[in-house]
Amino acid sequence: MEITKRTLAEAWRRTAAGHPLLHEVGLPPVALSDDELEACAERAEEVEDGGLCLLLDEGGTVRGHHGAYREVFATRDLEQVLYLIAEAAMRRHCGGPEETAVALDRIDPAWGRRFRSGGLDAAGDDTGTVEVCGRDPLEGLAWIAKSWRDQAPYTTLSFFRTAPGQPVDAEQLALLYGADPVQVAAGTRLKDLQAVDGGRAHWDRQWESCCFGQAGGWTFLLHHDTPPGAYADKEAYAALGIKESVWLTATSAKAIYSLDYVRDGRRVDDDWGMLELIWYERGRAPYLRGGELDFLNRGLRRAELDHPELTNTFELYFHALEESLGLRLPRRDFAEGEVRAAYWAEK
């Protein structure tokens, strides 16, 4: 059945009448054009509502928006629209993800399962209770999240692999980006750089250094600024067989923290452009529901529910990256200075 403004209003009226938790929840504003959507978003901003606005196009697709330009879902499935309206309402009125899940359970157990899974499928997770993570997320990738916000130990965290579980050659990658070939050949460690002149020399030159290695099936390369070999010839890059790369870049002075995920030569971003980590708020999926990055929405929901002790959204985000993509960094190697390191080669 094609969704119209009337069918949407009638369906929501029946849904809201069916449960006390929804009695006071009205249908979000429905716009039929971009101009109407912009006016809706302006009104929401004026009252600091921050709620959902719906754009209904001529083909019956409902597009959920936070603001005039940030589309958070697009669907022609009426039941999905009703769920997403309820999810947004319960999220705004509840204290956190677990409370939101409980509220949705009370409305419809399938909706509660769906919220816990982070997905949009009709039945949520039908495989039974999802196994809780059960381990310390700060021993994986999330340990670096807080210091990274201040660009420590490095501004850019990049990861590469040729296929799932198959990292590229770490030394060759470091050399390609401009690492000193003498230090790479010598197996120089971070502690070796820090040992010179009581660490003062490295303090002065750390912006010219990189760390590299393998963990979690990926090769990592950490550095500041733009490596001297960042624009190396494409043939040398292709020879490494890189099929996937993830780039996390912090610019703390401007409060910009970005994600770039490239697979098979194209950026995975649902055509959103720059993906900023500050879009993520606890309990709210940061990326297009059902889109290319929906796996991260799911990973974040599991991180929220499995680790309520984590209040830092960057730690939750990094844990979701570890769980969904396998990204890791060896905490002990960095703490003990055992991670491979080098300065950029002298020109």
Side-chain angles (χ1 to χ4, degrees):
M1 178 181 68
E2 181 177 313
I3 301 175
T4 65
K5 195 170 184 177
R6 178 177 178 179
T7 59
L8 184 56
E10 291 178 348
W12 180 251
R13 178 179 52 78
R14 291 192 299 271
T15 300
H19 200 282
L21 286 176
L22 298 177
H23 284 179
E24 302 301 319
V25 178
L27 179 70
V30 180
L32 300 179
S33 68
D34 290 337
D35 288 342
E36 288 185 18
L37 176 65
E38 188 170 348
C40 163
E42 288 177 357
R43 288 193 295 270
E45 186 175 343
E46 287 173 1
V47 299
E48 298 183 353
D49 179 76
L52 193 65
C53 294
L54 304 178
L55 175 63
L56 177 61
D57 67 23
E58 294 180 355
T61 297
V62 180
R63 302 180 185 278
H65 280 256
H66 289 297
Y69 307 108
R70 188 175 172 198
E71 183 177 294
V72 293
F73 69 82
T75 181
R76 301 182 68 180
D77 185 321
L78 180 60
E79 197 274 338
Q80 282 190 0
V81 178
L82 299 176
Y83 164 75
L84 287 162
I85 295 172
E87 182 195 88
M90 293 302 98
R91 190 184 64 244
R92 292 173 60 202
H93 289 92
C94 295
E98 184 56 45
E99 291 82 0
T100 300
V102 170
L104 289 167
D105 274 334
R106 292 173 58 189
I107 298 169
D108 186 333
W111 283 10
R113 291 195 300 273
R114 184 184 306 186
F115 180 80
R116 287 187 170 87
S117 76
L120 279 183
D121 52 297
D125 180 16
D126 282 333
T127 62
T129 302
V130 177
E131 185 177 351
V132 176
C133 178
R135 59 184 177 81
D136 183 356
L138 299 185
E139 290 300 323
L141 180 66
W143 68 269
I144 204 172
K146 283 186 179 179
S147 66
W148 176 75
R149 289 194 64 176
D150 295 321
Q151 298 177 246
Y154 288 94
T155 301
T156 300
L157 316 177
S158 55
F159 303 82
F160 308 82
R161 66 183 180 184
T162 63
Q166 297 181 25
V168 303
D169 186 297
E171 290 189 354
Q172 291 300 315
L173 181 72
L175 290 169
L176 178 62
Y177 276 90
D180 187 326
V182 175
Q183 291 179 331
V184 171
T188 301
R189 308 283 171 172
L190 180 59
K191 65 181 181 182
D192 299 325
L193 301 184
Q194 295 170 335
V196 178
D197 192 25
R200 289 186 293 273
H202 183 62
W203 175 261
D204 292 336
R205 295 193 63 190
Q206 61 180 323
W207 286 86
E208 305 169 23
S209 71
C210 67
C211 285
F212 58 94
Q214 295 179 352
W218 292 79
T219 294
F220 61 85
L221 178 70
L222 281 54
H223 58 83
H224 291 295
D225 296 336
T226 304
Y231 302 104
D233 64 87
K234 294 182 179 179
E235 289 184 3
Y237 192 84
L240 293 176
I242 296 171
K243 296 297 183 183
E244 285 183 273
S245 60
V246 178
W247 301 75
L248 293 154
T249 305
T251 309
S252 59
K254 298 181 179 179
I256 295 175
Y257 307 94
S258 61
L259 164 75
D260 280 299
Y261 176 34
V262 178
R263 187 172 60 210
D264 294 326
R266 66 174 289 273
R267 180 179 289 176
V268 180
D269 63 0
D270 291 306
D271 295 323
W272 280 22
M274 177 181 281
L275 301 173
E276 289 198 58
L277 274 62
I278 57 174
W279 288 347
Y280 166 54
E281 299 175 21
R282 191 182 182 96
R284 175 184 286 182
Y287 302 118
L288 185 68
R289 305 297 289 273
E292 293 183 312
L293 290 167
D294 205 31
F295 69 91
L296 260 180
N297 292 333
R298 292 172 179 265
L300 283 163
R301 181 60 41 74
R302 290 309 321 161
E304 293 166 352
L305 296 172
D306 288 352
H307 299 287
E309 76 280 5
L310 292 185
T311 58
N312 183 292
T313 54
F314 280 66
E315 290 177 344
L316 286 167
Y317 192 101
F318 275 48
H319 184 56
L321 284 172
E322 179 186 351
E323 289 296 294
S324 57
L325 286 173
L327 303 184
R328 293 183 65 85
L329 287 172
R331 184 176 189 175
R332 179 176 295 181
D333 285 356
F334 277 88
E336 298 178 356
E338 292 291 340
V339 65
R340 295 287 300 279
Y343 292 119
W344 301 128
E346 296 287 346
K347 292 184 179 180

